[in-house]
Amino acid sequence: MTFRLRAVRALVLLAGFYLMGVVLLAAMAVLDWLLVTRLFTARAAWFEGGVLTVTVLLAVAILRGMFAFLRAGRLRPVPHGVAVTPQDQPELWEQVCAAAEVTGERPPDELYLVAEVNAGVAEQSRLLGLLSGRRRMFLGLPLLAGLTVPRLRAVLAHEFGHYGNLDTRLGGVTMRGREAVLHTVEVFREGSTQLHYAIGALYIGYARMFLRTSQSVARHQELAADQVAARHAGRDATAAALRTLPVLDAAHTHYLEMYAAMGGPLGALPPVGEVHGGFRRLLAARTGERLAALSAGQRPPRPHRYDSHPPTAERIALIEELPADDRTDGSADEPAALTLLHEPDRVFAALEARTLPHEAVRLRRMSWDDLVMARAVADAEGWSRPLRLAVARTLRSAAQVADGAALARRGAPAEKVEDAELPGLEEVLDAFDRGLLWMEVADRIPKPTQAARLTGASARNFIRPRVFDGLAGMIHLRLTGTGHAAPDIAWSGQPGLTLPEAWEKDMDDALDAAVADTPDTAPLRALLAGTHRVSA
C-alpha cells in the first residue's frame, strides 16, 4: 500500500471515530422506538423499561463523549508559561515565522516561553483535527540556553513540519487527528460510571486501531519534518540538534536537583530569576564532554506505544545521508539562541513568578554563595548529629557507672539529650582515644533492624561510613565557624565548601585513621592544631 493510500485509510478511520457516536445513538433510538411502538407488552414491561433505562444512560455517556470530540484540541490557559508578543521579542518571533514559512504553514498566534527542554506547537483543532484553528507555540527557555541559533532553527522547522502536508495533503490532518483521538481517549478514561467505562472501552479499542493504522503515516511525517529542518537550518545543525536534546534534558534535570532545589530544606530560594536562569551558568561552565557525562549510562525513556517519533539514531542517520551543504554546524562560533531574547533576566524572572507555587513568595532569597554555605552547614549538622548523640549518651552512661548508678539495660529507650549537651569535636576525639568508639558509641548510632544483629568486623564495616560522615560534618562545622571554609557554587562540578589546602590534601586520610579498628586521632588533631596556628 502506498503512503498516499495509507493516509487516505487513516483519514477514513478518523472520520469513523467521530461518526461512531452518531451511529450508536441512531441504533439505540431505533431500538427504543421498536420497544415502545412494536414490542411493548404489559407482561414484559419491567424488562422493556430496564432496556430503555440502559439505553438512555448509554446515550448520556455517548453524548458526553461526543461533546469531548467537539472540545478535543481546545487550547487551555497556560499558567506556567510567559506569553511574548512580536513587539516584546521581535528577533525570536522572526525565527519562528521563518520556520513556519519554510514549511508552508502559518505562524503561531501565540508564543509562550516555558521551563522545559522542549518545543511544540498546539492547535485549536475542530472535528477531531480535520479543521485547524488558532495556533500556539511553546519554547523552553532551557532549550534556548542550550541550543545555538542554527540548531534552534532546525527544531522550529521540525515542529511546524508536524502540521504541514509535506509528502501528502493528508499528512498534517493525520497528525492533528492523532492528537485529538488521544485527547478524547483520556476523557473517556475519566468516566464516572460503569456504562461510561463500557462505552469508553469501545472508543479506546477503536482509537488503538486508528493509532496503529496511522502510525506509519505519523512516522513518515516526522521524518519529512526532519528533512525540512535540514533544508532550513542545514544538515549538520539539524543532526547536532537531535544529538544535543537528550544531553540538555539530562543537564537540566541535574541542575534542578542539584542547584535550583538546593535551598528546599532551608526554606530558601536563589536570587530572583535564578531558579531557572542559573541553568545558563551551568551550561557556560561545562564543556560538551562534561555535559554529555551527565547523560552517560542513562537509559532513554521508554517511548509510548504509539509515539510517532522514530528512534533518534535512525533520524540522525537519515539526515546525515543528505547531500552536504555549505552550512556547517559551527557550534563554537554560533551564539546561543538565548541571545535572541531582549532582557533575558527579566524573562527568567517572569517565568519564575509563573512556575513557583504561591507558598514560595514567603521564602527568603539568598545569593548562590550564601545558599551553598547555608546548605553545607545544614548538611554538616545532619551528618554529625547521630554521632554526637551517640557520644553524649555514651559519656552520660560512663558517668553514671562512675557515680555508682545502675547501668542502663541495652535496648532501653535512650534518654533525651539537649542540643546544649552535645559534645564538641575534641570531646568526640577524646572518646575515640578512650576506646569507646567500637565498644559503646557504634552501638548507639541508629541503624536498620537488619543490621542490628551484625557483630564484630561486619558491624564495624557497616557503621564506619556513618561515623566517617559524622566526623566530617563536625570538621566542616568547625572550619566554617572559624572562617577557614568558603562556599563554592562549582557550576562545573558539585557545589560545596572549599577547604584549606592542608585539609583538602590530608583530611580523608586523617578521618580514615580516626575511624579505624584501632582509632588514631593524632593526624586529625595535627590538622586542627595547624588551623589554630593560622587563626592565631
Side-chain angles (χ1 to χ4, degrees):
M1 184 181 294
T2 65
F3 174 72
R4 187 177 298 276
L5 287 177
R6 288 197 298 270
V8 171
R9 182 182 63 178
L11 179 61
V12 172
L13 288 174
L14 178 62
F17 187 81
Y18 183 79
L19 295 174
M20 185 165 55
V22 176
V23 174
L24 289 172
L25 287 174
M28 286 188 293
V30 171
L31 176 61
D32 291 346
W33 179 79
L34 290 174
L35 284 174
V36 172
T37 61
R38 297 286 189 272
L39 304 177
F40 183 81
T41 62
R43 181 178 302 176
W46 64 271
F47 172 75
E48 292 164 351
V51 172
L52 289 173
T53 301
V54 170
T55 55
V56 169
L57 293 175
L58 287 174
V60 171
I62 293 172
L63 287 172
R64 180 180 176 183
M66 294 182 69
F67 183 68
F69 298 162
L70 299 177
R71 294 169 65 89
R74 180 185 179 189
L75 295 180
R76 293 177 172 80
V78 186
H80 301 306
V82 176
V84 292
T85 66
Q87 293 73 33
D88 296 330
Q89 302 293 344
E91 294 180 27
L92 180 61
W93 268 91
E94 181 181 351
Q95 295 293 336
V96 171
C97 293
E101 182 180 357
V102 77
T103 59
E105 288 293 299
R106 56 187 172 84
D109 302 288
E110 304 168 8
L111 176 60
Y112 285 87
L113 298 178
V114 295
E116 302 172 3
V117 183
N118 199 8
V121 176
E123 198 168 66
Q124 179 83 46
S125 57
R126 294 166 289 170
L127 293 180
L128 288 182
L130 294 176
L131 300 178
S132 61
R134 189 172 183 81
R135 184 168 289 176
R136 176 183 292 166
M137 184 162 206
F138 301 91
L139 270 179
L141 275 182
L143 193 70
L144 298 182
L147 291 181
T148 61
V149 173
R151 294 179 186 181
L152 176 65
R153 291 193 192 109
V155 171
L156 295 174
H158 175 87
E159 292 304 323
F160 283 106
H162 288 168
Y163 292 90
N165 299 314
L166 300 176
D167 286 347
T168 172
R169 294 188 60 81
L170 302 179
V173 173
T174 302
M175 296 298 288
R176 285 193 295 268
R178 285 173 64 88
E179 294 177 2
V181 166
L182 287 172
H183 170 79
T184 307
V185 166
E186 290 302 319
V187 171
F188 272 112
R189 289 185 186 276
E190 300 171 358
S192 56
T193 67
Q194 291 298 323
L195 290 177
H196 191 90
Y197 282 124
I199 292 295
L202 178 64
Y203 276 94
I204 289 171
Y206 191 101
R208 287 173 177 166
M209 179 180 68
F210 168 73
L211 292 172
R212 284 195 300 268
T213 302
S214 62
Q215 186 82 343
S216 60
V217 177
R219 292 206 166 198
H220 198 91
Q221 190 79 353
E222 290 283 354
L223 296 176
D226 284 342
Q227 305 288 312
V228 171
R231 290 197 295 271
H232 177 56
R235 182 193 67 177
D236 294 345
T238 303
L242 287 176
R243 291 192 186 94
T244 303
L245 289 177
V247 174
L248 277 181
D249 189 51
H252 188 245
T253 300
H254 172 77
Y255 166 78
L256 292 178
E257 295 173 352
M258 184 66 65
Y259 293 89
M262 186 187 306
L266 310 172
L269 288 172
V272 175
E274 288 293 294
V275 172
H276 302 301
F279 182 55
R280 50 187 165 162
R281 308 187 193 284
L282 183 144
L283 295 177
R286 301 192 183 215
T287 62
E289 292 77 9
R290 290 182 65 87
L291 284 176
L294 295 175
S295 61
Q298 292 186 2
R299 296 182 63 182
R302 187 175 183 178
H304 189 278
R305 180 187 302 179
Y306 304 115
D307 186 5
S308 62
H309 292 84
T312 302
E314 177 185 337
R315 296 170 63 188
I316 293 174
L318 290 174
I319 290 172
E320 290 179 337
E321 289 177 2
L322 296 174
D325 50 41
D326 57 354
R327 294 170 293 178
T328 60
D329 180 35
S331 57
D333 303 321
E334 293 288 348
L338 199 61
T339 58
L340 297 172
L341 293 182
H342 291 182
E343 300 183 71
D345 291 338
R346 180 182 59 82
V347 176
F348 276 111
L351 181 62
E352 184 177 296
R354 302 277 289 182
T355 55
L356 290 177
H358 295 300
E359 300 78 20
V361 176
R362 297 190 295 269
L363 300 181
R364 53 178 172 158
R365 296 281 184 168
M366 302 176 69
S367 69
W368 282 114
D369 283 345
D370 290 344
L371 199 56
V372 171
M373 177 63 80
R375 180 60 186 268
V377 169
D379 288 345
E381 290 174 345
W383 300 337
S384 63
R385 186 172 181 81
L387 175 61
R388 298 176 71 191
L389 281 172
V391 172
R393 288 167 181 157
T394 298
L395 296 177
R396 176 183 293 177
S397 177
Q400 290 174 348
V401 172
D403 292 340
L407 185 64
R409 298 187 309 274
R410 183 178 297 275
E415 296 182 22
K416 184 177 180 181
V417 177
E418 301 295 337
D419 288 347
E421 300 176 293
L422 292 177
L425 182 54
E426 282 75 12
E427 291 178 272
V428 172
L429 296 181
D430 289 342
F432 285 14
D433 288 339
R434 291 167 56 188
L436 297 177
L437 172 57
W438 302 118
M439 292 177 59
E440 298 287 343
V441 174
D443 288 338
R444 288 180 165 85
I445 295 179
K447 58 183 72 65
T449 305
Q450 305 91 310
R453 294 189 293 269
L454 296 175
T455 59
S458 297
R460 291 194 297 272
N461 290 334
F462 178 85
I463 206 68
R464 200 187 313 275
R466 302 190 181 194
V467 179
F468 184 103
D469 290 343
L471 208 52
M474 296 188 71
I475 291 168
H476 285 173
L477 291 174
R478 172 65 61 84
L479 294 177
T480 55
T482 58
H484 289 91
D488 182 10
I489 187 61
W491 293 112
S492 60
Q494 184 171 345
L497 295 176
T498 299
L499 305 181
E501 182 178 355
W503 285 93
E504 294 280 6
K505 179 181 177 182
D506 299 327
M507 177 176 165
D508 285 350
D509 291 339
L511 287 173
D512 285 334
V515 301
D517 289 349
T518 303
D520 178 10
T521 65
L524 204 50
R525 292 180 186 275
L527 287 173
L528 289 169
T531 303
H532 290 319
R533 285 194 296 271
V534 172
S535 299

